[in-house]
Amino acid sequence: MIKKLTATVFALAMTFPSIADVLTIKKDAPQQYVVQKGDTLWDISEIYLEQPWLWPKLWRMNPQIDNPHLIYPGDMLTLVYDADGQPMLVMNQKYKKLSPGVRKTLKKADAIPTVPLEFLRPYLTYEQALDEETIASKPYVLGANEAVKSQVTDHILYVKGDLVRSQFYGIYRKGAEFIDPESQEVLAHKAKLVGTARAFRSGDIAKGEPASVRVKNVKQEVKAGDFLMPAMEGQSLPAFFSLTRPSTDINGSIIASTNDYTEFSKYEVVVINRGTDNELKAGHILDIRRPSPKVIDGTDGPKYYEDTSRYDKMTASVQGLFNESNAESKLWVPPSEKVGELMVFKVYNNLSYAIIMETMMPIRLGDTVNVDL
């Protein structure tokens, strides 16, 4: 069964850098397109645009749709051009006759999302990225009402911390480190949801009285040392994302993935080492780039760096240090090339979760992310 998803298409009065104002329609873009179940707004924009993240500009004029703007499976989209020759998509909205006149109505089917939300929901609901200080400040499990090493549903847990009676809490486990490849600093720890519980005693740390919670459900066995946060903390999921380029220079890299793989494809989720400290926001679109192989042009002609001898590498490095243009061996460093695009959807101080939206080739751990202004 296809899961129903609802999202409001965000307001179209968005501002973009002047370089992004020109829309380029693909040569093979169809004149008309019927929205299919499973489509996302991004999918449809890829049919028409060379830069899909600019799709709101393609929808800037649509007098047939009331605000908020919604599109549904079965709707017919038509590509037209305004008086200035600028492209835009309009929709052949269905009407329902009502006395005394004709008014537009929303169909009962669900509108399609900006991006495939089912790919994002697990990473907003079940996973957090928290720094050491934040984790240390959270209430944590001391033990249970039975002397067992792991707890399951309906067990009572005793917690060091002051909790709110009757409130639901998520129980998290501190996991792997997210390490910045540039500074080698630990940016945060992965925190995975292992269960939920409801508090029935608030506790009082000052008096040495632990709080008490009853385990309601578990994804994994709960253990002593697991920490608690209010059940909805850090789990919000926007109905839609306003897709824009950042207004400041961003230069970072892909430092981890949520599936622990080193190579990724479209719609997979990765972690980058930039966040609110770098003015990143949910909905920001970044380019993914990969350095091209270095070449040493030596006495035997040009060869890729990894295929040359230790002597050629040393010679090229020393001569490059002194900037000798007529050196026997010269190291050439070609530019990085774009291999895809990603959208940031969950942002912390110094890192962010992002979903890969476009790929020219498989994306890899260590690929850089940036936006050039």
Side-chain angles (χ1 to χ4, degrees), residues 256-272:
S257 69
T258 54
N259 57 18
D260 295 326
Y261 295 158
T262 58
E263 196 168 84
F264 326 107
S265 57
K266 186 175 179 178
Y267 293 154
E268 292 194 76
V269 173
V270 295
V271 180
I272 64 175

Side-chain angles (χ1 to χ4, degrees), residues 49-100:
L49 297 178
E50 297 291 348
Q51 294 178 303
W53 65 272
L54 291 178
W55 72 266
K57 300 189 72 62
L58 195 62
W59 293 72
R60 61 194 167 81
M61 296 175 63
N62 203 332
Q64 297 160 308
I65 311 173
D66 287 328
N67 192 19
H69 299 266
L70 302 172
I71 63 174
Y72 299 85
D75 280 333
M76 174 75 77
L77 308 179
T78 303
L79 179 65
V80 299
Y81 293 83
D82 66 13
D84 297 322
Q86 295 300 308
M88 56 185 177
L89 273 181
V90 297
M91 188 188 331
N92 301 324
Q93 185 79 341
K94 295 181 180 179
Y95 290 82
K96 182 178 180 180
K97 289 189 176 181
L98 294 175
S99 180

Side-chain angles (χ1 to χ4, degrees), residues 4-73:
K4 293 183 178 180
L5 298 171
T6 303
T8 305
V9 180
F10 52 82
L12 303 183
M14 300 174 62
T15 57
F16 294 87
S18 58
I19 191 172
D21 284 344
V22 179
L23 293 181
T24 303
I25 300 296
K26 290 182 176 179
K27 294 180 179 179
D28 59 351
Q31 183 69 27
Q32 293 184 321
Y33 179 77
V34 177
V35 180
Q36 306 295 315
K37 283 187 177 182
D39 278 348
T40 67
L41 300 181
W42 189 279
D43 293 331
I44 295 172
S45 71
E46 280 191 311
I47 296 173
Y48 289 93
L49 297 178
E50 297 291 348
Q51 294 178 303
W53 65 272
L54 291 178
W55 72 266
K57 300 189 72 62
L58 195 62
W59 293 72
R60 61 194 167 81
M61 296 175 63
N62 203 332
Q64 297 160 308
I65 311 173
D66 287 328
N67 192 19
H69 299 266
L70 302 172
I71 63 174
Y72 299 85

Side-chain angles (χ1 to χ4, degrees), residues 123 127 129 176-181 187-190 252-264 268-274 342 345 351-356 363-367 369:
Y123 307 106
E127 190 167 308
E177 300 173 335
F178 292 122
I179 298 176
D180 191 314
L187 300 176
H189 285 266
K190 184 182 294 185
S253 59
I254 296 174
I255 63 171
S257 69
T258 54
N259 57 18
D260 295 326
Y261 295 158
T262 58
E263 196 168 84
F264 326 107
E268 292 194 76
V269 173
V270 295
V271 180
I272 64 175
N273 61 339
R274 294 294 183 265
L342 56 75
F345 67 87
L351 60 79
S352 300
Y353 286 89
I355 183 170
I356 296 170
I363 306 303
R364 297 174 186 164
L365 197 68
D367 283 345
V369 294

